[in-house]
Amino acid sequence: MDKLEQIKEHAKELNLNYLRINADKIVEEADLNDYSYQDILIKVLDSEIGLRDKKAQERRLKNAGFPVIKKIEDFDLDFQKSITKKQVNRLLEMEWIDRMYNLIFLGPPGVGKTHLSISLGYKAVEQGYKVSFVTMDNLMHVLKTQEISRKSKGKMNRILSSSLVIIDELGYLPITREEANLFFQLVSALHEQASIIITSNKGLEDWTELLGDPALTTAVLDRITYRCELFSMSGKSYRLEHRKSLF
Ligand code: ADP
Ligand code: MG
């Protein structure tokens, strides 16, 4: 076996994928540029770390479960005045996740609640945080079936080990008493260990009716709003204003 083959074999054994794939190129480049031994080693190790980070990020993005990718750069702050550029920049620093602050985006359909949530989640993934996105409807299904469905159990484990959990569309579909209890238990579990983003078309004052029990609602709100930024988003629906027409 020649030396290059030997390098590739060892790299494979050690899971050094960058080196395994690029061994020839690295050696050639080093020869061509007269790299020092130290330069070569640094280059290989740097690239290996870079590749691992990239793979880990791709995995985190896939596991986050975003229904679509939305970018914060595409969010028009002139259209949605309820959140300022300064606030967005502050949120992009991600300090709120480190400090386990929650965000609540309230408002009618089309004002950008989901867009903002996903784009913040996307940036968090980019910066190395573990993020889970679920709709309230999907969350209820997962909570109710986690004992009997391996898929739900897996999703639940991911949610419970995330630094940021995005729960989209609270209030669009009615919730049973059992579901409200499960929701409370989840919020209790996440409280003190993760940040939560909740989007809802219902004001906080309507959550009691939604969750069906004043004591339970108080307990839920108590935990969520303890460290929390609330954005009441108003204005017109972006969808309606930018309605696409065929003719
Ligand atoms: P909501 O969740 O409040 O119902 P969405 O976030 O789903 O609203 O927004 C509806 C559509 O309009 C999405 O395609 C979203 O990307 C777009 N949108 C909403 N607000 C804005 C905005 N301020 N700038 C750019 N696109 C927006
Ligand atoms: Mg939405």
Side-chain angles (χ1 to χ4, degrees):
M1 189 173 359
D2 75 8
K3 283 185 181 162
L4 261 174
E5 282 309 310
Q6 207 174 339
I7 291 171
K8 287 182 201 168
E9 281 289 313
H10 287 332
K12 188 173 167 202
E13 182 83 25
L14 289 168
N15 262 330
L16 300 172
N17 287 325
Y18 182 85
L19 182 58
R20 178 176 58 80
I21 296 163
N22 297 293
D24 307 68
K25 200 183 89 192
I26 295 165
V27 171
E28 205 174 298
E29 229 181 78
D31 272 343
L32 209 66
N33 298 304
D34 244 346
Y35 285 151
S36 73
Y37 298 121
Q38 288 182 13
D39 283 342
I40 299 169
L41 283 171
I42 287 172
K43 215 171 146 48
V44 169
L45 293 173
D46 267 355
S47 304
E48 205 64 62
I49 291 170
L51 183 68
R52 277 188 195 190
D53 286 351
K54 187 164 156 271
K55 285 252 158 20
Q57 177 166 320
E58 282 166 6
R59 213 175 313 122
R60 274 198 311 280
L61 186 61
K62 183 165 165 278
N63 288 339
F66 298 126
V68 286
I69 297 299
K70 293 282 178 184
K71 301 282 178 68
I72 196 73
E73 293 80 3
D74 299 328
F75 193 79
D76 183 354
L77 288 165
D78 290 328
F79 189 82
Q80 180 47 258
K81 302 264 190 204
S82 313
I83 183 164
T84 64
K85 178 96 187 134
K86 198 171 160 198
Q87 286 172 319
V88 168
N89 285 338
R90 184 79 199 275
L91 290 174
L92 290 177
E93 287 169 13
M94 301 294 156
E95 191 215 2
W96 58 282
I97 299 184
D98 298 328
R99 293 170 64 194
M100 288 179 287
Y101 267 69
N102 303 318
L103 306 181
I104 300 180
F105 295 117
L106 301 179
V111 291
K113 303 181 297 295
T114 302
H115 187 136
L116 268 181
S117 307
I118 291 177
S119 51
L120 288 173
Y122 182 80
K123 286 283 181 194
V125 165
E126 274 189 345
Q127 294 192 27
Y129 294 95
K130 197 166 165 185
V131 178
S132 287
F133 178 100
V134 270
T135 60
M136 185 67 177
D137 190 29
N138 185 219
L139 177 63
M140 288 308 132
H141 172 77
V142 168
L143 283 169
K144 283 189 289 187
T145 56
Q146 55 177 323
E147 303 301 339
I148 50 167
S149 151
R150 194 184 299 182
K151 192 168 166 226
S152 293
K153 187 83 209 160
K155 179 83 184 170
M156 204 57 229
N157 286 340
R158 266 211 301 284
I159 288 173
L160 289 172
S161 62
S162 290
S163 302
L164 170 62
V165 179
I166 301 170
I167 303 170
D168 197 28
E169 301 191 342
L170 184 80
Y172 279 91
L173 295 171
I175 297 168
T176 66
R177 181 58 70 97
E178 183 209 355
E179 289 172 339
N181 266 309
L182 289 170
F183 181 61
F184 167 68
Q185 283 168 31
L186 177 73
V187 168
S188 298
L190 290 176
H191 173 66
E192 303 288 347
Q193 74 172 44
S195 286
I196 307 173
I197 295 181
I198 294 185
T199 80
S200 179
N201 61 334
K202 297 251 177 12
L204 297 188
E205 65 283 358
D206 297 325
W207 285 24
T208 299
E209 195 192 325
L210 188 73
L211 298 174
D213 178 342
L216 188 113
T217 307
T218 307
V220 166
L221 282 177
D222 214 51
R223 282 161 178 73
I224 294 177
T225 56
Y226 178 54
R227 282 180 305 254
C228 181
E229 282 303 327
L230 189 146
F231 297 89
S232 283
M233 298 168 63
S234 50
K236 295 185 185 140
S237 163
Y238 190 91
R239 279 196 204 93
L240 287 181
E241 284 293 300
H242 297 83
R243 197 165 59 91
K244 307 259 192 304
S245 174
L246 264 183
F247 305 105

